[in-house]
Amino acid sequence: MAILSIAQNEDIAREEACRILADGGLIALPTETVYGLAADATNGKAVARIFEVKGRPRFNPLICHMSGIEMAQRYVDFNALAMRLAEAFWPGPLTLVLPLRPGTAVHALTCAGLDTLAVRVPTGFAQSLIARFDRPLAAPSANTSGKISSTTAAHVATDLGDRVPLILDGGPAAIGLESTIIKPTEKGVELLRPGGLAASEIESVSGIRVARSAEAEPAIEAPGMLRSHYAPGAHMRINARTAAAGDAVITFAGAALPGDEDASIILDLSPSGDLREAAANLFDYMKRADAAARGAIAVVPIPNKGLGEAINDRLERAAAPRV
């Protein structure tokens, strides 16, 4: 395992990453959302290696990262609504689930055999790397499947270690939550996974209300839809009203829990009540709480507005019964 700092030499990092990807290898790379475990999305053996390293169920599709709309159009079909949203939010934390183009070069394992593909355009180094490689990258979060997502290179190294030959260190992820995934159709916009882009921002551009699935366990059409996901080792209690001795407490906006004087650690996602700051800190604080907990992880209620919807989604999946 090698860790290369992008800040120290971006060109060397990019060329070494391209070399490994061209040979069918895996890399861990930073994006504005979380760190991704990336492979050439057109290489079936390379994509299979992602599932092997993560221990990920093969019915769970992967996001294909593109360098821009022009590259994405090689692989998926855009309707007018999808194009409007892509032009407004790419590059950025929005994933669109769109129909595959006939004869696409993306390997079927990437989309789990579905006739749709989840695509997005990341910002910064990841975008420039994909442009240089000139092929889409399949890149789920760089962590063991079902566990807490990685937002730093150190998180990746601790979790996946020597299973990844190259980790590119771009510092902490700016957003800290995975992308928002939507499926735009002629009938409207369906939210498959809340994430780093608030649904209200999508509605402001589309002029259409974003529909949430009413099903208890919707069909797996995109990453992050499994009921139990992002799980720490310790049991997690969400919307906690009290803390027990030895609990690790995750709080927000300075909220206190009765009993937290005996907590193993207290971490405030955002003392000022800023949901963007809370989102950026969420996975790192979950990892820190998990390491410190002598009991459970107790999480105070988080406002369910804006990015709070995505934060609560991750917390609910982390606290769900393990399968």
Side-chain angles (χ1 to χ4, degrees), residues 58-297:
R58 295 199 179 189
F59 60 78
N60 200 359
L62 306 175
I63 293 176
C64 248
H65 292 69
M66 308 285 178
S67 62
I69 293 174
E70 184 177 348
M71 176 183 277
Q73 287 178 307
R74 301 180 205 168
Y75 304 98
V76 292
D77 288 323
F78 287 76
N79 60 26
L81 174 58
M83 183 59 69
R84 188 158 75 248
L85 292 169
E87 290 173 344
F89 297 115
W90 283 359
L94 175 67
T95 293
L96 302 173
V97 175
L98 300 173
L100 280 167
R101 292 181 64 85
T104 178
V106 169
H107 195 273
L109 189 56
T110 304
C111 51
L114 300 172
D115 59 2
T116 56
L117 182 67
V119 294
R120 93 170 183 99
V121 178
T123 64
F125 177 84
Q127 183 183 23
S128 70
L129 171 60
I130 298 165
R132 172 70 179 82
F133 188 57
D134 198 32
R135 274 172 268 172
L137 296 183
S141 56
N143 55 277
T144 302
S145 185
K147 300 301 182 182
I148 304 169
S149 298
S150 297
T151 56
T152 67
H155 290 164
V156 180
T158 299
D159 189 344
L160 300 180
D162 291 338
R163 286 177 283 172
V164 185
L166 176 64
I167 300 173
L168 298 171
D169 186 354
I175 293 176
L177 284 176
E178 296 87 352
S179 60
T180 299
I181 303 179
I182 64 168
K183 187 175 183 179
T185 68
E186 301 302 333
K187 297 180 180 179
V189 179
E190 182 181 0
L191 180 68
L192 300 181
R193 180 184 75 183
L197 180 68
S200 59
E201 295 187 59
I202 297 169
E203 290 172 339
S204 69
V205 169
S206 68
I208 301 170
R209 182 183 176 277
V210 172
R212 278 73 167 174
S213 175
E215 298 174 1
E217 186 72 76
I220 304 299
E221 296 186 79
M225 295 183 70
L226 293 174
R227 180 176 294 172
S228 178
H229 206 55
Y230 316 105
H235 173 68
M236 178 177 280
R237 302 196 318 275
I238 58 175
N239 299 316
R241 300 296 179 182
T242 61
D247 282 354
V249 173
I250 296 178
T251 187
F252 177 74
L257 288 180
D260 66 8
E261 63 274 8
D262 295 319
S264 59
I265 192 171
I266 299 175
L267 300 166
D268 195 327
L269 291 170
S270 174
S272 66
D274 183 337
L275 287 170
R276 289 188 181 276
E277 181 184 18
N281 286 330
L282 179 64
F283 288 137
D284 181 49
Y285 283 17
M286 285 171 64
K287 287 177 181 288
R288 290 170 59 183
D290 195 27
R294 299 192 304 274
I297 300 172

